[in-house]
Amino acid sequence: MFSLKQIAINNNSLSGELPSEFGNLANLEYLISYQNKLSGPIHQSFGKLESVIEIRLFNNELSGPLPSGLSNLTNLVVIQLSDNQLTGHLPDLCHSKKLQVFQLFRNKFYGPVPKGLRDCNSLIYFGISKNQIEGDISEAFGVYPHLSDINLSSNRFKGRLSPNWGSCKNLSGINFADNMIEGSIPSELGMLKNLRRLILSFNRFTSEIPPEIGNITNLYWMDLRNNKLSGQIPKQIGRLSNLEILHFSSNLLSGKVPEEIGNCLKLQSLHMYNNSLNGSLPGSLGNLASLQRMLDLSMNSLSGPIPQELGKLEVLMFVNFSHNQFSGAIPVSVASMQSLTIFDVSYNFLEGSIPKGIHNASAEWFLHNKDLCGDLVGISPCNLPLADHRRKRQKIILSIGLPIFAAAISVVVACAIGFLICRKKVSQRTDDVSKRDVFSVWSFDGRMAFEDIINATDNFDEKHCIGEGSYGSVYKAELQSKEVVAVKKLHAADEDADDEERFQHEIEMLTKIRQRNIVKLYGYCSHPRYRFLVCQFIEKGNLASILSNEELAIQFHWQRRTALIRDVAQALTYLHHDVHPPIIHRDITSRNILLDADYKAFVSDFGIARMLKPDSSNWSALAGTYGYIAPEFSYTSQVTEKCDVYSFGVVALEVLMGKHPGYMHEFHSSLKDHFLPEEILDKRLPQPQDETDEALDVRRCISVAFECLLPSPKERPTMLKAYRDLVV
């Protein structure tokens, strides 16, 4: 045993203390026992491991101070003790100038940085985030020619940033967020040509953003929010051609949004809210074709018209221009932004007609403006006289008076009559319609669809059956046009004529739902022998089957899993907040989430429970699947949006764990107050590398999932808030 050179017992469920006898292994070079459940102290005897090169004990439950003898380990190159409960002062481990990796984040260390680390120019990675380390940052660190990544976030550093950081030429990541650092941002940071991440948020930085920042052309993430930065945004920002995430929010910035920002063609998320920006918006914003997650310029003093070029941003989901001084009309081009989930322009001076066709439009987005009108409930119609516009706007009447109610009834009746006439005419013309037009007619007449589906499924032969659910069996059907669809053959039910009419009405409503992460419902067939729905075919099957398949689960890596969680959240946000009346899914489970060949998520079976039995007294048949049902249902028997939120939380955990979390009360009880996220993550995948975007996304998903699983429905977030928290 004394000649043993390596101990590698990582990624198990080992518990108990590390044996103090390990300290007698004089020839030991590698001690690797991360991602276990080891507890207790690191014994003083470990200070005798003079040959040791690497100590990797992260993601355990180790506690107590580090032995002072660790400073004698002159061959130490890597020490990783993150995600434990270690306390005391940081050890000085760089006497031999060989130390390269120093990872002790997420512990309970306190006190200053050891003086020996100031001159440890062998360092490549230094991470001590989320401790209680303190001291003057300008004195605690030196110049590190090999340093690639440094993370000091969430500590108690104060003082000013030294210009010497500009001499650490290999730096690719700087994260000094959530400290008490003050003064200006050194212009010397512009010399860091390899820098990819610059995160200085939640500090006390003042003065202007140095224009030299535009020289960091490899930068993809810059976060300077929640400081006291002033002055104008430098035009040199336009040189950052690789920038994807930009946070300037909650500062004291003034002046115009620079035209040059339109050169940041890879930008995906832009946050500049809560500043003092003024002037008009540049039309160059329309060049940001990759802008997808957020464009937030709210709570500024921006004025002038909203540029029509905004309509080019077809993949953008969130726009917030609220609490500004924008004037004029909303450009018609906004209606072409098909991915919009939020377009908030409230509290401005906008007037005129709200363009028709704005995706998912809600009246709340347009309130408190000068004189906007449109077809949304809560907004004055555009055909009223000007005086009536003003009177309605001042009163903000949400209830509908008798004349308007009567008019609405007339419209509904007229539409119903028109629909019946149209249906009759279409039915008469059915024989003249070609097979290739089948999708356009089967919502009105089921005969052609029925024949086509019967032939494609060989009269619903079992060989075409690809799954069964609570509402019926699912078949794969290849039509004569070579299009492949999924056919959900519903269980037989005894219904009268009123039920049939309601069923068709519900179906026709659901066929109008269009959201990229919801399975498209093309139409239906109602026949004396069969009744079925025709849906988009999603080739890879459901989420539950993917997670239960070892090979597919490994291919379902963290980036795909977090993207799926976001996609499902977006789909539910659409159903809850952008459809009128809102649709409650009632049965969000891993079996009702389908994946395509690229592991993109599609929510299926939305609205079907309400469609089949909306007034049923047997609510238990409609409220979901055991293991996903919200706890309040057991005593209220009422299904609300918050039931979907709870079910979403279960599915999110299931995606991250690789299996259903089980009975939630027992699951919560099994976790400690300060559990490590890695305790619950799917062990079939490599754990996300700390402080990477992947790890941040996973932690964000865990946090949102637990919020959605709060016992009280009032305390759970809405799906809109959950989705926002996932994409910020």
Side-chain angles (χ1 to χ4, degrees):
M1 286 291 289
F2 291 106
S3 62
L4 190 65
K5 290 189 175 183
Q6 178 172 329
I7 295 176
I9 47 176
N10 51 290
N11 288 298
N12 288 286
S13 298
L14 299 175
S15 58
E17 295 189 5
L18 286 166
S20 60
E21 290 81 4
F22 278 6
N24 299 324
L25 302 174
N27 294 308
L28 189 67
E29 296 180 352
Y30 299 93
L31 176 55
I32 302 173
S33 184
Y34 57 83
Q35 290 178 1
N36 282 296
K37 298 180 179 179
L38 300 172
S39 58
I42 297 176
H43 296 284
Q44 288 289 342
S45 60
F46 282 46
K48 298 187 295 182
L49 298 174
E50 297 180 357
S51 299
V52 76
I53 298 172
E54 294 186 7
I55 298 177
R56 301 177 186 262
L57 299 175
F58 60 89
N59 286 25
N60 279 287
E61 302 170 13
L62 300 171
S63 59
L66 294 179
S68 57
L70 292 184
S71 299
N72 301 324
L73 306 182
T74 55
N75 290 303
L76 191 63
V77 175
V78 175
I79 183 165
Q80 295 176 312
L81 302 176
S82 303
D83 290 300
N84 281 287
Q85 301 175 40
L86 298 166
T87 60
H89 286 219
L90 296 178
D92 189 348
L93 301 176
C94 200
H95 288 296
S96 65
K97 310 302 181 190
K98 294 180 181 178
L99 188 66
Q100 294 181 6
V101 178
F102 188 92
Q103 287 185 333
L104 278 73
F105 48 81
R106 283 193 290 274
N107 277 286
K108 299 178 181 179
F109 292 112
Y110 55 84
V113 175
K115 292 182 178 180
L117 286 173
R118 178 182 174 89
D119 301 318
C120 189
N121 56 20
S122 58
L123 279 174
I124 295 176
Y125 184 95
F126 187 80
I128 56 172
S129 63
K130 298 187 178 178
N131 283 284
Q132 301 174 46
I133 308 301
E134 58 191 21
D136 191 326
I137 195 170
S138 61
E139 299 175 357
F141 298 94
V143 176
Y144 307 98
H146 307 292
L147 189 63
S148 173
D149 202 298
I150 183 166
N151 191 337
L152 310 179
S153 63
S154 299
N155 280 290
R156 298 178 179 177
F157 288 107
K158 58 183 181 179
R160 297 170 176 262
L161 283 191
S162 167
N164 288 337
W165 289 109
S167 300
C168 301
K169 302 295 186 182
N170 276 341
L171 268 175
S172 64
I174 293 177
N175 189 344
F176 296 163
D178 195 18
N179 281 284
M180 296 177 284
I181 308 170
E182 56 190 10
S184 59
I185 297 173
S187 60
E188 287 79 4
L189 293 184
M191 301 165 60
L192 300 175
K193 305 297 185 183
N194 296 313
L195 195 64
R196 299 271 291 151
R197 290 177 291 111
L198 177 61
I199 303 175
L200 304 176
S201 54
F202 295 93
N203 278 287
R204 300 174 183 177
F205 287 107
T206 55
S207 192
E208 299 184 354
I209 299 172
E212 290 82 1
I213 214 90
N215 297 330
I216 315 175
T217 53
N218 280 313
L219 200 65
Y220 85 92
W221 186 357
M222 178 160 52
D223 190 348
L224 307 181
R225 64 182 145 165
N226 288 81
N227 281 286
K228 298 179 180 180
L229 296 168
S230 59
Q232 298 189 6
I233 298 171
K235 296 180 179 180
Q236 291 79 359
I237 203 86
R239 299 177 187 170
L240 303 179
S241 57
N242 290 300
L243 195 63
E244 297 180 12
I245 302 170
L246 178 59
H247 270 287
F248 282 171
S249 304
S250 297
N251 279 287
L252 305 173
L253 298 172
S254 58
K256 294 185 175 183
V257 176
E259 181 86 23
E260 290 77 5
I261 201 167
N263 297 328
C264 303
L265 300 181
K266 294 184 180 180
L267 203 59
Q268 296 182 16
S269 189
L270 174 58
H271 305 252
M272 293 185 179
Y273 63 85
N274 195 23
N275 280 286
S276 298
L277 299 173
N278 53 53
S280 57
L281 280 184
S284 62
L285 285 176
N287 298 336
L288 304 178
S290 297
L291 203 60
Q292 178 180 358
R293 294 187 180 183
M294 179 73 75
L295 173 57
D296 193 343
L297 301 174
S298 62
M299 300 176 68
N300 280 286
S301 298
L302 297 165
S303 58
I306 296 174
Q308 63 178 2
E309 291 86 353
L310 207 66
K312 299 178 183 178
L313 307 180
E314 296 180 353
V315 298
L316 183 58
M317 294 183 286
F318 287 103
V319 175
N320 193 346
F321 289 169
S322 66
H323 296 85
N324 276 286
Q325 299 172 23
F326 289 113
S327 59
I330 299 172
V332 176
S333 60
V334 172
S336 64
M337 302 171 69
Q338 291 302 304
S339 296
L340 273 181
T341 299
I342 295 291
F343 184 74
D344 191 345
V345 292
S346 59
Y347 294 92
N348 279 285
F349 299 102
L350 298 167
E351 56 188 325
S353 175
I354 298 171
K356 294 183 179 180
I358 294 181
H359 195 55
N360 303 328
S362 169
E364 295 178 357
W365 303 352
F366 307 103
L367 297 177
H368 305 287
N369 273 284
K370 183 178 179 181
D371 201 13
L372 284 176
C373 61
D375 297 332
L376 300 174
V377 176
I379 301 293
S380 298
C382 291
N383 56 358
L384 289 180
L386 181 59
D388 288 347
H389 273 299
R390 290 174 178 167
R391 189 156 51 246
K392 280 184 72 68
R393 176 167 52 84
Q394 292 166 355
K395 292 180 180 179
I396 315 177
I397 299 174
L398 297 181
S399 59
I400 302 175
L402 286 176
I404 298 175
F405 179 77
I409 292 295
S410 300
V411 171
V412 171
V413 171
C415 289
I417 294 172
F419 169 75
L420 291 174
I421 294 172
C422 178
R423 179 175 178 176
K424 182 177 180 180
K425 288 182 178 179
V426 172
S427 179
Q428 292 170 347
R429 293 198 306 265
T430 297
D431 292 337
D432 299 326
V433 180
S434 66
K435 286 286 185 181
R436 59 185 173 83
D437 293 326
V438 66
F439 286 113
S440 67
V441 301
W442 58 22
S443 290
F444 296 98
D445 179 57
R447 187 174 64 82
M448 285 185 62
F450 177 77
E451 294 171 356
D452 212 30
I453 297 300
I454 290 296
N455 292 334
T457 61
D458 294 326
N459 198 18
F460 293 106
D461 192 288
E462 287 186 3
K463 68 182 180 183
H464 296 286
C465 185
I466 57 175
E468 294 185 7
S470 55
Y471 306 119
S473 301
V474 183
Y475 297 81
K476 179 180 178 181
E478 183 177 344
L479 306 178
Q480 291 182 359
S481 62
K482 300 302 180 183
E483 289 189 79
V484 178
V485 295
V487 181
K488 183 178 288 290
K489 181 168 153 302
L490 302 174
H491 293 315
D494 296 326
E495 298 193 355
D496 56 26
D498 290 338
D499 287 331
E500 177 63 24
E501 185 175 348
R502 174 189 49 74
F503 171 79
Q504 294 186 13
H505 175 74
E506 292 281 358
I507 284 289
E508 285 155 12
M509 181 190 73
L510 294 179
T511 56
K512 297 175 183 178
I513 298 297
R514 286 292 182 268
Q515 202 276 343
R516 59 186 174 183
N517 297 116
I518 293 178
V519 173
K520 291 182 178 64
L521 180 60
Y522 295 129
Y524 71 96
C525 254
S526 187
H527 186 272
R529 291 174 55 202
Y530 301 116
R531 191 165 61 165
F532 52 80
L533 310 177
V534 185
C535 309
Q536 179 184 7
F537 177 72
I538 309 298
E539 57 267 44
K540 214 168 192 69
N542 65 51
L543 173 61
S545 65
I546 299 295
L547 293 175
S548 63
N549 183 300
E550 290 292 318
E551 182 179 350
L552 294 177
I554 291 173
Q555 296 175 21
F556 191 24
H557 51 65
W558 293 121
Q559 186 177 356
R560 285 172 170 168
R561 296 193 188 202
T562 55
L564 178 139
I565 291 171
R566 286 194 298 270
D567 288 346
V568 174
Q570 186 181 17
L572 290 176
T573 298
Y574 175 82
L575 293 175
H576 288 189
H577 299 277
D578 301 317
V579 177
H580 301 287
I583 293 177
I584 302 174
H585 190 291
R586 289 181 167 88
D587 198 17
I588 292 293
T589 72
S590 56
R591 293 189 177 277
N592 283 334
I593 296 169
L594 308 179
L595 286 78
D596 68 7
D598 297 320
Y599 289 84
K600 301 293 185 184
F602 293 82
V603 175
S604 67
D605 278 2
F606 62 98
I608 291 181
R610 184 184 71 171
M611 178 186 70
L612 293 180
K613 292 282 187 182
D615 302 317
S616 173
S617 59
N618 182 19
W619 276 100
S620 62
L622 312 177
T625 301
Y626 181 75
Y628 299 87
I629 303 173
E632 67 271 14
F633 180 78
S634 62
Y635 54 85
T636 66
S637 295
Q638 292 182 350
V639 182
T640 68
E641 287 95 335
K642 292 300 181 73
C643 294
D644 277 359
V645 172
Y646 184 90
S647 301
F648 167 76
V650 177
V651 169
L653 274 187
E654 187 173 356
V655 171
L656 297 169
M657 297 174 66
K659 60 182 180 180
H660 190 281
Y663 182 51
M664 293 308 302
H665 179 72
E666 294 179 0
F667 175 72
H668 280 291
S669 301
S670 69
L671 299 176
K672 299 171 294 185
D673 290 339
H674 300 289
F675 76 96
L676 299 174
E678 291 76 8
E679 293 178 33
I680 66 172
L681 295 182
D682 193 340
K683 297 296 189 295
R684 294 172 294 186
L685 295 183
Q687 298 300 298
Q689 291 298 308
D690 290 299
E691 308 306 317
T692 60
D693 293 347
E694 184 179 79
L696 293 174
D697 275 347
V698 168
R699 287 179 177 274
R700 192 178 293 120
C701 289
I702 293 174
S703 176
V704 169
F706 276 98
E707 286 184 11
C708 293
L709 291 170
L710 290 172
S712 170
K714 292 183 179 180
E715 294 179 357
R716 289 176 215 145
T718 63
M719 280 312 309
L720 178 58
K721 182 182 185 303
Y723 179 59
R724 282 178 169 175
D725 290 344
L726 288 169
V727 300
V728 169

